Amino acid sequence: MKIETLKECCGCAACLNKCPKNAIVMKENKQGYSYPDIDKNKCISCGLCEKVCPILNKLKKSKIQNQKFYAVKNKNEEIRSISSSGGVFNEIADYFLQNNGVVYGAIFTKDFKVKHIRAENEFDKNKMRGSKYVQSDIQDVYKNIESDLKKNKQVLFSGTPCQIAAVKKYLGKEEENLVTCDIICHGVSSPKVFREYLKMQSKKFKSEITSVSFRSKKIKGFVQSMEIEFKNGQRYLQKLYKDVYGYSFLNEILIRHSCFDCPYSTINRIGDITLGDFWGIEHITKSFDDKKGVSLVIINTNKGKEIFNNIKDNFQVIETNQGESLKYNRIGKIIKSKNYEKFWKRYEKVGIAYLSIYYYKKYICAIPQKLINKVKVGKK
Ligand SMILES: Cc1cc2nc3c(=O)[nH]c(=O)nc-3n(C[C@H](O)[C@H](O)[C@H](O)COP(=O)(O)OP(=O)(O)OC[C@H]3O[C@@H](n4cnc5c(N)ncnc54)[C@H](O)[C@@H]3O)c2cc1C
């Protein structure tokens, strides 16, 4: 497999799953994004890794069937309060578990790494709730999905559009028992930078971290907020755009190279159901907006329609249209920050300290150059 530039790999790990000789591992580069590393002694040059890659060999999308757009709120306030927006994912997942199915989605591990797991019960499924703005580690999830499908299990796979494309490429054919749920994704961030950011917070608060949420709803008004709880009882709560990590993520700095050319971030969605935030709901129907989170649900296929009809009673739903749904959201090409290359060059030299420097320089513009130089020199 020839990956000539960083943007030619989205880190979906389809190649690792497909390799018949287990010759591929995913390795982090200096920026903390994973790329396949092929053991040439094990490789038999079968070419399957290249064939399965959803970037080098794009997936032909099936036709959208009567696409529908909805603004949705879970009637259960508790579930909505711990979900990113309207709490829709939880109900789709419950439907599968109640029907003897399995669910695959992204969780935080005990040490706050983000990875995909298989859930057969409530406990594991609940860990999938909430957006984690970090690229998740897929490991051998596609192999496990294949094995579940062979056992005639009903499978729900939820992930970023490239991960959905990857599982479809991996399986190689439409599977009746597989339902896919893609998120409106504006790019994934570096696991290494996130690890270092958490270390920095832990040092600052002089305590171990016990929980992390990117979408805490404790700041009033459905803004995206970072909440970190510490063992010593302290709590960090900040609007995402005012947090050093959140700011760089939202401003297209902490975004994987390939995301800027994502072939799957289009209105012709890859999943049966697409989930996102219904930004701007207050401009469409004021009474529906209670500032506690509304999801945008896009139904793309008949399979998606059937699932949504079965769980609809758990929600308050308003049907809308493409124009209204996407007026304040982003589907399509993400524009790279003009500071992107400079940021990563500096980050590779300075490390995590540069994240704070970047943030303060851009946001407050008051950091003296002398201090910046001092941190840079100290860290080299
Ligand atoms: C990296 C990322 C970027 C996003 N960008 C946008 C955006 O620009 N616009 C927008 O409208 N919505 C975006 N979303 C989606 C949004 O944040 C919510 O996930 C969505 O509104 C569903 O909310 P919910 O309340 O129904 O469910 P939740 O309970 O919040 O559901 C979370 C679901 O997201 C999956 N998930 C969480 N983290 C990851 C991850 N790192 N990788 C893969 N899957 C993950 C879980 O498996 C679960 O299925 C993004 C999500 C992620 C993870």
Side-chain angles (χ1 to χ4, degrees):
M1 178 166 51
K2 269 198 191 120
I3 297 171
E4 283 173 3
T5 58
L6 291 178
K7 66 178 187 180
E8 284 177 337
C9 170
C10 64
C12 68
C15 51
L16 175 151
N17 278 260
K18 201 71 183 176
C19 178
K21 292 289 170 190
N22 293 325
I24 302 179
V25 289
M26 299 299 285
K27 266 198 179 158
E28 266 186 14
N29 69 1
K30 280 186 187 164
Q31 301 173 353
Y33 294 107
S34 292
Y35 289 83
D37 188 53
I38 303 174
D39 181 341
K40 294 208 171 77
N41 295 321
K42 287 187 184 168
C43 176
I44 51 166
S45 301
C46 64
L48 285 177
C49 48
E50 193 165 315
K51 216 168 140 194
V52 81
C53 174
I55 300 297
L56 297 177
N57 286 298
K58 296 187 184 49
L59 181 82
K60 274 201 190 113
K61 295 183 197 170
S62 20
K63 265 220 162 122
I64 296 285
Q65 301 154 330
N66 194 16
Q67 200 171 38
K68 296 272 184 196
F69 297 81
Y70 301 98
V72 183
K73 289 191 293 198
N74 198 317
K75 287 180 186 166
N76 183 323
E77 290 297 328
E78 201 189 325
I79 293 171
R80 191 152 65 110
S81 72
I82 45 183
S83 303
S84 301
S85 47
V88 177
F89 165 74
N90 186 76
E91 302 308 311
I92 304 174
D94 276 354
Y95 177 78
F96 274 78
L97 294 185
Q98 283 153 14
N99 288 288
N100 217 10
V102 291
V103 177
Y104 288 85
I107 64 146
F108 273 131
T109 61
K110 278 190 185 133
D111 52 356
F112 302 103
K113 290 188 180 119
V114 179
K115 69 171 186 182
H116 260 72
I117 63 157
R118 175 183 190 272
E120 256 184 316
N121 55 51
E122 280 268 315
F123 181 76
D124 285 337
K125 179 267 302 177
N126 287 347
K127 293 193 260 183
M128 295 173 186
R129 296 194 286 217
S131 297
K132 292 101 188 159
Y133 293 143
V134 186
Q135 181 154 42
S136 77
D137 181 3
I138 280 284
Q139 308 164 99
D140 52 2
V141 151
Y142 310 137
K143 279 188 195 170
N144 296 337
I145 290 177
E146 185 179 38
S147 143
D148 277 328
L149 290 170
K150 276 188 184 151
K151 289 179 204 145
N152 262 330
K153 286 254 178 207
Q154 299 284 330
V155 177
L156 172 69
F157 176 66
S158 127
T160 57
C162 59
Q163 290 168 340
I164 307 281
V167 76
K168 290 188 174 191
K169 291 272 303 183
Y170 174 87
L171 295 168
K173 59 178 171 47
E174 264 305 312
E175 290 279 356
E176 197 46 45
N177 288 346
L178 173 70
V179 171
T180 54
C181 184
D182 68 305
I183 47 178
I184 296 179
C185 174
H186 105 289
V188 287
S189 171
S190 155
K192 181 181 172 200
V193 176
F194 183 60
R195 272 197 316 271
E196 291 178 338
Y197 163 80
L198 290 183
K199 230 188 206 170
M200 190 173 86
Q201 291 285 28
S202 184
K203 209 169 151 193
K204 197 166 151 196
F205 284 81
K206 298 189 176 65
S207 181
E208 251 175 66
I209 291 171
T210 52
S211 80
V212 177
S213 168
F214 285 96
R215 298 294 299 262
S216 166
K217 293 184 178 173
K218 290 190 184 136
I219 296 181
K220 257 187 148 186
F222 188 37
V223 285
Q224 304 184 74
S225 307
M226 177 79 96
E227 182 178 14
I228 304 176
E229 288 177 325
F230 298 88
K231 211 173 181 175
N232 62 9
Q234 292 195 80
R235 188 177 68 155
Y236 169 83
L237 182 62
Q238 183 59 279
K239 289 176 183 163
L240 205 57
Y241 68 86
K242 286 192 168 182
D243 170 82
V244 287
Y245 181 90
Y247 174 80
S248 315
F249 174 69
L250 295 174
N251 283 286
E252 285 81 33
I253 288 281
L254 288 181
I255 300 282
R256 193 182 171 103
H257 294 258
S258 56
C259 300
F260 297 106
D261 286 301
C262 178
Y264 303 106
S265 176
T266 65
I267 193 58
N268 185 11
R269 304 300 296 176
I270 195 98
D272 297 299
I273 302 175
T274 299
L275 296 181
D277 300 291
F278 207 119
W279 300 122
I281 185 71
E282 65 278 16
H283 304 300
I284 293 159
T285 146
K286 221 174 170 139
S287 59
F288 201 69
D289 174 35
D290 55 7
K291 308 281 181 212
K292 292 181 193 163
V294 176
S295 288
L296 164 61
V297 177
I298 312 177
I299 303 297
N300 304 309
T301 64
N302 289 337
K303 247 196 237 177
K305 182 177 165 190
E306 195 187 320
I307 304 286
F308 192 59
N309 283 341
N310 280 315
I311 57 171
K312 227 173 174 176
D313 287 348
N314 299 326
F315 304 126
Q316 291 179 55
V317 180
I318 294 180
E319 183 165 355
T320 124
N321 57 47
Q322 183 178 333
E324 281 183 342
S325 304
L326 300 178
K327 193 167 176 191
Y328 299 92
N329 210 321
R330 296 188 278 191
I331 287 187
K333 197 167 169 61
I334 322 159
I335 308 297
K336 204 184 257 188
S337 159
K338 63 179 188 333
N339 297 311
Y340 187 85
E341 313 296 347
K342 192 173 140 203
F343 174 87
W344 285 109
K345 236 186 216 167
R346 290 283 169 87
Y347 171 80
E348 283 182 23
K349 278 193 185 149
V350 177
I352 189 68
Y354 192 67
L355 195 67
S356 306
I357 293 170
Y358 171 75
Y359 168 80
Y360 287 113
K361 259 172 87 176
K362 290 297 292 177
Y363 206 69
I364 296 170
C365 299
I367 236 180
Q369 191 59 42
K370 261 188 184 171
L371 189 63
I372 296 171
N373 292 343
K374 209 170 163 186
V375 179
K376 278 192 236 168
V377 172
K379 273 276 165 183
K380 261 179 198 169

